[in-house]
Amino acid sequence: MSHATLSTLVNAQLQMPLRALALTVEEDGPGEFRWRVLERRGQAPVFEALACSDITFAAYDTALASGYGELQRLVGPDLQYGPRLEPDFSGNGVPRSGLSAPAPQRPGAAA
């Protein structure tokens, strides 16, 4: 692929807005940390879980690093430019493929 073609593809991709993703660490109990990747849908300030750890970690920083690794995996090759929305037929943005898997929920957790 030529540099000009690659540049055109990158510029087209950058025209779409970034997806609003967040990584958070929660403490289930003393010394029991769990990461969660969240995404804001639309303009409402409400985030939906995309993925969460199914194990707990004894340290906050370990949970954070593990969650960041999962976020990198979810974003995949788009990491350099950030995960972008793709246009749908209505003209609104929709998530790019690869990040729409439902998040596992821990028992008793509210969605």
Side-chain angles (χ1 to χ4, degrees), residues 16-64:
M16 293 306 298
L18 276 173
R19 294 176 68 184
L21 298 176
L23 171 62
T24 186
V25 174
E26 302 165 348
E27 189 173 25
D28 292 346
E32 296 178 350
F33 300 96
R34 179 182 311 272
W35 59 261
R36 187 177 301 267
V37 176
L38 308 169
E39 180 173 27
R40 186 182 71 214
R41 303 289 181 159
Q43 295 303 314
V46 175
F47 283 77
E48 182 179 303
L50 284 180
C52 65
S53 59
D54 51 358
I55 61 170
T56 58
F57 300 86
Y60 178 92
D61 62 344
T62 306
L64 183 64

Side-chain angles (χ1 to χ4, degrees), residues 67-87:
Y68 181 63
E70 178 64 10
L71 180 61
Q72 288 179 305
R73 187 193 70 75
L74 288 170
V75 173
D78 294 333
L79 193 59
Q80 181 178 2
Y81 302 107
R84 302 285 170 163
L85 295 174
E86 290 182 344

